[in-house]
Amino acid sequence: VLPFPSQVVYNRVGKCGSRTVVLLLRILSEKHGFNLVTSDIHNKTRLTKNEQMELIKNISTAEQPYLFTRHVHFLNFSRFGGDQPVYINIIRDPVNRFLSNYFFRRFGDWRGEQNHMIRTPNMRQEERYLDINVCILENYPECSNPRLFYIIPYFCGQHPRCREPGEWALERAKLNVNENFLLVGILEELEDVLLLLERFLPHYFKDVLSIYKNPEHRKLGNLTVTVKKTVPSPEAIQILYQRMRYEYEFYYYVKEQFHLLKRKFGLKSHIRKPRPRPEFFIPSPLETEEPIDDEEEDDEKWLEDIYKR
C-alpha cells in the first residue's frame, strides 16, 4: 500500500460542481472513516494575514486523516510554518461557470423555489431580472473585469496581485498547480476526475464512482442544477471570451495537464464533443490524442513522489 496523505484540502471553486462533490464526500467520510472538515463561510475567499494564520492553525489541528473543504483562495501553509497539505480541485469552462453563477444568484436551483431569496435577499428586482445580454454589452460591473477574473485566484493565492487580471497571477497559478495540487480536474469530464481521485487517494475516494452513478444519488445531484438559465447572444459570448482571456489560458493549460494524466493512466473515456473553441488571441495548446509513452517513470513511483511533496 502506498503512503497516503493524511491532510487534503479541496479549496473548491464556486459553480464548478463542488456541491455535487461535497455530497459525495459526506457519504465517503462515513464509509471510510476520515474527518470531513467543512466551513459555513461561503463568501470570503480572500483573507488577511491574521485570518490566514488562524485558518491554517485550525485546519492543521483537525483530527487526521482529514479532508478540509471551503471556497477559499490557495493558502500557503509552509509560509506560516505548517505542513503543506495535498490540494485537489475542479474547474470548468469559464463562460459556463460565469453563466451558472449569474443565474444561480438570481434564481437558485431546484432544491427550493425561494432559496435564491435567502442567498441574495437584498438584490433589487430590476437587478434580479437584468437581461444577461444587457449586462454584458452595456458593461455592467458584474459582467466585466475584474469580476470575471474568478478561477485563477483560487490557484494563485492570497497575494493582492492574484486578484489583478494579468500574466503574473496566471503564471503563479500555473506554478501552484504544478507544485501543490495532486489533481485539478475538469468538470466536463467529472467521471474521469472521480476515477483518478479514487486511484490517487483511495483512502478517501474508494468506490466514489459507483456512489456517483447510483440513481438515488443522481436524483440528489439534479436538485443542485441552476434554474432559468438562458444563453447569451453570440456577440455577448464573444465579448466574454475577450474579457476572460487569462481565465481561458489557464483553463486550457489545466485541461491539457489533465488529459496528459488521463493518458498516463490509460483513461480513454468518451466525452461529449466540445463546442468550437473561441476565435481570439489564446494560442491553441498541443493536443494529446496519441497515447503517452510509459518510459519516463512508472505510475507507482510518480504517486509516491506526489505524496512526498
Side-chain angles (χ1 to χ4, degrees):
V1 177
L2 286 172
F4 74 99
S6 58
Q7 303 169 83
V8 178
V9 171
Y10 171 32
N11 64 319
R12 60 188 193 270
V13 182
K15 306 311 296 175
C16 289
S18 64
R19 285 178 297 157
T20 297
V21 177
V22 170
L23 279 174
L24 289 168
L25 285 170
R26 293 191 191 283
I27 298 169
L28 291 165
S29 65
E30 293 184 9
K31 184 180 177 67
H32 301 315
F34 64 84
N35 183 18
L36 178 62
V37 185
T38 60
S39 173
D40 294 327
I41 301 172
H42 303 292
N43 57 358
K44 189 172 180 59
T45 56
R46 309 162 184 173
L47 309 177
T48 66
K49 184 176 179 181
N50 286 337
E51 288 171 337
Q52 290 177 61
M53 291 175 65
E54 186 66 23
L55 180 57
I56 287 172
K57 178 183 176 183
N58 290 340
I59 297 171
S60 299
T61 55
E63 182 183 351
Q64 299 182 20
Y66 69 73
L67 191 151
F68 173 79
T69 180
R70 173 179 162 176
H71 294 301
V72 65
H73 295 168
F74 175 78
L75 293 162
N76 189 341
F77 282 58
S78 58
R79 179 188 176 199
F80 299 101
D83 294 330
Q84 192 71 357
V86 164
Y87 272 85
I88 58 173
N89 217 321
I90 301 172
I91 65 173
R92 72 190 289 191
D93 178 278
V95 164
N96 284 342
R97 194 220 67 82
F98 165 74
L99 294 177
S100 181
N101 185 64
Y102 184 89
F103 291 104
F104 178 72
R105 288 185 69 241
R106 286 160 170 78
F107 307 115
D109 55 33
W110 291 108
R111 290 177 297 174
E113 287 294 321
Q114 298 299 321
N115 89 344
H116 61 286
M117 298 299 294
I118 297 171
R119 291 177 178 276
T120 53
N122 298 320
M123 184 179 283
R124 302 188 309 276
Q125 287 298 92
E126 58 267 32
E127 182 184 357
R128 192 176 303 282
Y129 291 97
L130 176 66
D131 183 273
I132 183 70
N133 291 300
V134 172
C135 185
I136 296 166
L137 297 176
E138 296 188 11
N139 212 25
Y140 278 66
E142 185 178 359
C143 298
S144 58
N145 280 321
R147 297 277 189 89
L148 297 177
F149 193 70
Y150 184 87
I151 297 174
I152 286 175
Y154 275 87
F155 299 87
C156 177
Q158 297 289 335
H159 193 285
R161 289 186 69 184
C162 288
R163 304 191 288 274
E164 299 171 5
E167 293 288 339
W168 189 90
L170 170 65
E171 293 305 317
R172 182 162 171 153
K174 288 180 181 178
L175 183 66
N176 276 333
V177 166
N178 293 335
E179 292 188 350
N180 293 295
F181 283 79
L182 174 66
L183 177 70
V184 182
I186 301 297
L187 183 62
E188 295 84 352
E189 303 169 40
L190 181 57
E191 288 193 9
D192 288 343
V193 177
L194 299 178
L195 277 169
L196 287 176
L197 284 171
E198 184 171 359
R199 176 70 184 267
F200 298 163
L201 298 169
H203 291 78
Y204 298 87
F205 288 95
K206 190 176 187 304
D207 299 323
V208 65
L209 197 57
S210 61
I211 297 170
Y212 173 71
K213 288 183 173 183
N214 183 292
E216 290 302 313
H217 183 270
R218 296 305 279 265
K219 282 182 188 177
L220 286 175
N222 289 338
L223 293 176
T224 66
V225 174
T226 300
V227 299
K228 297 189 180 182
K229 271 198 286 190
T230 60
V231 179
S233 68
E235 179 188 4
I237 287 179
Q238 187 63 28
I239 288 172
L240 281 181
Y241 281 136
Q242 297 286 350
R243 291 174 182 169
M244 301 172 89
R245 64 166 292 196
Y246 294 110
E247 293 277 277
Y248 268 98
E249 192 165 339
F250 181 72
Y251 171 73
Y252 286 127
Y253 175 80
V254 168
K255 189 173 184 178
E256 181 67 14
Q257 298 303 308
F258 181 63
H259 285 174
L260 286 169
L261 207 52
K262 280 174 57 174
R263 301 280 187 237
K264 186 175 183 65
F265 286 89
L267 291 185
K268 297 178 183 178
S269 60
H270 298 288
I271 59 172
R272 288 177 296 179
K273 186 176 180 181
R275 66 187 182 189
R277 181 168 297 170
E279 296 296 330
F280 63 116
F281 36 75
I282 291 180
S284 298
L286 296 173
E287 299 298 333
T288 56
E289 296 304 319
E290 295 301 317
I292 295 175
D293 293 335
D294 293 323
E295 299 173 348
E296 297 180 9
E297 56 183 331
D298 73 277
D299 296 345
E300 306 305 313
K301 177 63 164 60
W302 180 84
L303 280 174
E304 286 183 10
D305 290 344
I306 287 283
Y307 291 153
K308 290 175 183 175
R309 287 180 182 174

